[in-house]
Amino acid sequence: MAELSEKAHLLHSKMLESPSSTLFNQEELQQMLHISTPVELLNLAQELMNKKLVKLVKQDGDLKFQAVSTTEANKITQMTDDEAMVYSYIEASGREGIWTKTIKAKTNLHQHVVVRCLKALENQRYIKSIKSVKHPTRKIYMLYNLQPSIEVTGGPWFTDSELDTEFIDSLLTVIWRFTASKTYPTAFQPPSSANNPIQASYPSNHTGFVNLDAIMEFIIANKITNIDLGLNDIRSLCDVLVYDDKLELISHTTDTYKATWQSVLEAGYGRAYNEEGNEGLISATLRKNLNNQPFTVFEHYAVIAENGEDSDIVYMDAWSQD
Amino acid sequence: MDIGDLPEASKTQSPKSYLYTSIARNHLGDVAALIISCLISYGRLTATDISHRTKIPVKKVKSALVSLIQMNCIFYWRESGSKQVFYSFNETGILVFLHSGDIISHVTTHYGEDSAEIVQNILVNGHIRIEDYVNNIDDEEKKLDIQTLFFRLFTDRWIVRLQPFNFNPVDDIWNQLYQETLKNTPRTSTTSEVKRVAEAKEKTKTKFINLIESGQSPKDLYLTQDGIKRLNPALVVTFNLSRFQKHLRTTALVSLAKSRVGLLSARIYESALKLVEASSPDLTHPFLQISGLINDPEEARFFVNSIENKLVDEKKTVFNVRDLGRLLPHDLDLRNSILTYNFVKHNLTPKKRSASNGDDERPTKKIKTEDSDDIAESLESNGTVQIESNGNGNSISLIQHHLKLLSSGSGAQLLIEITPGSYTVPYASLLKYLKQYNFETLVKTTLGPNSFRILRCLKSLKIGDEKTISNSVLLKEKTVRNEIYKLLKANMLEVQEVPRSADRAASKTFYLFRHKEFYSYEFLCNSLIFSMAEILSNIQAFREDHKILLEKCEREDVKGHEEELLLESELKTLKSLQTRQVSNTVRFNRIKSLYEIYQ
């Protein structure tokens, strides 16, 4: 930087004092150095431009100046012109990244040249290639030190741009189990004499059901995941559980949920009175009465698959298929 | 049409025709099945037409028609001013056959063997005159007993009076009354034609109701002799299918309660439903069956609700906690079913509220004393008395808690508390939930939990494309696409094409999906009916395969001596045939229990 004139150096350091990516117009720069004539400023600006210490940015039809840090400028001066051009577009794309085809179209360079530049930049760790959830097949580049935006990564549900269903499923199970334990006092406990073996419920005016905050707190307190989840993420998980008919939104409330009894039954709980070893819980006649109930599709979990003849099986869609 | 072609012909016609013809064939024989199938396909015909189309001699057709009419399987109608009699199909008789086994077993468990015998005889004969039935019994004491049983079945509406108009199609009765009224409604220059028609319709409605309700007054039905009220022995009675349908509705609702609230609440609910079952609204109303009378679904809903509201106003479907307490099954043990800790808290909260309302000193003190009291006392101080006499702790207060649970569901509200302590059942809205939950559970069990999730998501979105759906259900787009294909194939979703270019290029078009209940349920119902018919013809088919063996068993000399006269291999086949028939019948009944919901 030895060749840089004192005044140009002063201007550059004054520009860097403002937060990065601040845009200055001509008058502002003139005021900074108390320069009266634009010609003088022009010389200084040209000097800085040559050293790549200042970028020209067009905003609303006006030309504006932006300071570039010395290290950054060093980086760029070491690059070839092509590389610098490619780099500038990647830099401009910010956290969204830019598709190789767009680079090619914007720079008007040949495919080979673009690929060569990208390789060189990648080797120097100036840029990196990322995967986008929206366009999984596209090769997208962004600056090495940036984090891809949520649109690109797809949010907490994506791992390596793939929907992480296992992660989602385990979170769903945790939330359901937590809510169910708050909805049905004894669902997950072994039967005891203190509560009715067939059904033990909270009264209808019970208010201890969980809301989003409680679920969030539970997840954080038990360190269930190291991924940052927002309330919105929890809400979308709860929505899925509602679609699964595992949770219900309590009427006249916002974001307060209770687990459905059907989901508890389907998960294999709440039927301890009917299990082996628990015969003493209820009387034999009652058990007989309870087990002698008409068929209902809601108790599909209790139906034993029979192995009759294949020709005897009927299919629900037989009418439309036959 | 030939009897050999019957199964195939009815199968291709419609699932209903397939099922009804199969049932008719099993219970009434080939000729009846042919006539019924013919009437289902042609609507209404004269006896000669039937004979012409079925190639059965007129004489045979006529004698078959007589018994079919008696069994409520066929309506007849004589057009005024013409000698021709038209015959058309009546579903009731066949539906009674469909449910006959269940009907008899239900009557046996609730009314005993003798009542079941009466019902069975009514089912076999279609209808009977009480006099004729009673006179066949020699024992005088038994005669009185039977009359009492008739009386009981009649008051519980399992059997109803049969009148001549029950043999006529409702559409024709309506039409006749309507044309008559229209003729008698004068045209004037001041009223428009629309107004005149509407007026005539209203008048006809009243006339129609009067006709249906005619002959139902106590004077016509009962005789009072020596201060004892008994049924008029001259009455002709038939089985009331709609009463049985109400029982089926109760069963379905109890299952719903069992899955949504819990087993104990469901059993209380069952008792409650049984309490009002006899006076609950019918599943159908003649007005809804008359074609062209109530077309608008909104109007139909309004009509159904108005019937229900009328019953509530008349306190027919309203019950009280105390009435219910007496009717609960004896093995029901409610102790500790509502959590004690909250129990105490619950009894305190209303008072705390009143404390903040104004009175400062006294109520607060009361709470303090109650905190140290035990539950029973706090209950008593609250004005509810615990019934200790039955010894199993089923206090009114506990029952009340369960009823509250039933009436506070976030999805389906199984009960409505109209005034403190008295409840009613919102049948019309519950039927909607019943269909919905059963449908969704069927999707879950047949197409899998992912389809279930997507379907329910789409219901809450109303309409959506693959991307929106996959974002909200948190499933991979590929999975979503596969599941949507399955749902579409089962007619549970509708697809809407949204073209984005003038040439409707497939590459640019995107698709929206939605779920429409009416069409899905209709399709499901047809599929279920078809499956039921398939099972029936399957049973028929494998029995046919072993016809010789089965006939051998029926022979007089073989009966009772099967062990000695049949080969071991034959006995084995016989046994496997029997298990196969039982398992198929079970399958049939399970599908039937689903079909009843969508009927």
Side-chain angles (χ1 to χ4, degrees), chain A residues 43-54 77:
Chain A
N43 284 331
L44 292 173
Q46 187 61 50
E47 202 182 334
L48 287 171
M49 285 284 288
N50 289 343
K51 298 274 181 257
K52 315 269 184 204
L53 286 166
V54 155
T77 40

Side-chain angles (χ1 to χ4, degrees), chain B residues 116-306:
Chain B
E117 198 186 315
I118 296 175
V119 171
Q120 191 169 355
N121 278 311
I122 296 176
L123 292 186
V124 169
N125 295 306
H127 58 256
I128 47 175
R129 187 189 296 272
I130 299 176
E131 221 165 25
D132 298 347
Y133 190 86
V134 175
N135 286 344
N136 279 336
I137 302 159
D138 301 326
D139 191 353
E140 277 302 320
E141 207 170 305
K142 185 112 195 262
K143 252 185 196 176
L144 272 178
D145 286 347
I146 294 290
Q147 272 176 335
T148 332
L149 290 178
F150 262 109
F151 186 80
R152 196 161 159 225
L153 286 171
F154 194 87
T155 38
D156 282 356
R157 302 203 44 78
W158 287 99
I159 50 177
V160 283
R161 182 177 181 189
L162 189 74
Q163 293 180 90
F165 61 81
N166 291 120
F167 291 116
N168 299 140
V170 261
D171 266 333
D172 287 312
I173 301 176
W174 169 266
N175 216 12
Q176 193 185 36
L177 287 175
Y178 177 64
Q179 292 304 339
E180 226 170 72
T181 326
L182 199 63
K183 229 186 267 167
N184 294 336
T185 315
R187 263 204 188 85
T188 57
S189 52
T190 48
T191 50
S192 66
E193 187 62 18
V194 181
K195 217 170 184 179
R196 183 174 156 251
V197 169
E199 194 185 321
K201 257 190 186 167
E202 278 313 310
K203 272 189 196 161
T204 320
K205 275 187 188 173
T206 331
K207 273 190 192 169
F208 191 86
I209 292 289
N210 285 342
L211 176 71
I212 288 178
E213 284 174 357
S214 64
Q216 301 289 353
S217 66
K219 201 172 72 209
D220 300 325
L221 299 177
Y222 304 107
L223 289 180
T224 314
Q225 210 174 30
D226 310 330
I228 299 168
K229 196 165 129 188
R230 60 193 183 94
L231 272 182
N232 185 351
L235 282 187
V236 178
V237 289
T238 186
F239 183 76
N240 184 7
L241 178 67
S242 101
R243 178 69 183 82
F244 185 69
Q245 284 171 333
K246 287 180 191 175
H247 160 69
L248 292 175
R249 175 175 59 189
T250 302
T251 324
L253 285 174
V254 171
S255 302
L256 182 68
K258 211 154 75 182
S259 109
R260 307 308 303 181
V261 190
L263 202 45
L264 289 180
S265 305
R267 294 201 80 196
I268 293 177
Y269 192 47
E270 188 176 7
S271 306
L273 287 175
K274 282 192 175 149
L275 194 62
V276 293
E277 192 177 271
S279 48
S280 62
D282 284 334
L283 274 85
T284 53
H285 189 277
F287 283 176
L288 295 169
Q289 288 168 332
I290 296 166
S291 51
L293 184 60
I294 298 177
N295 293 321
D296 188 9
E298 195 60 43
E299 201 184 330
R301 203 173 313 138
F302 180 76
F303 180 69
V304 171
N305 285 337
S306 73

Side-chain angles (χ1 to χ4, degrees), chain B residues 579-591:
Chain B
T579 33
R580 198 168 163 192
Q581 183 161 358
V582 167
S583 73
N584 273 294
T585 315
V586 168
R587 202 172 280 138
F588 179 84
N589 279 317
R590 289 188 170 175
I591 299 178

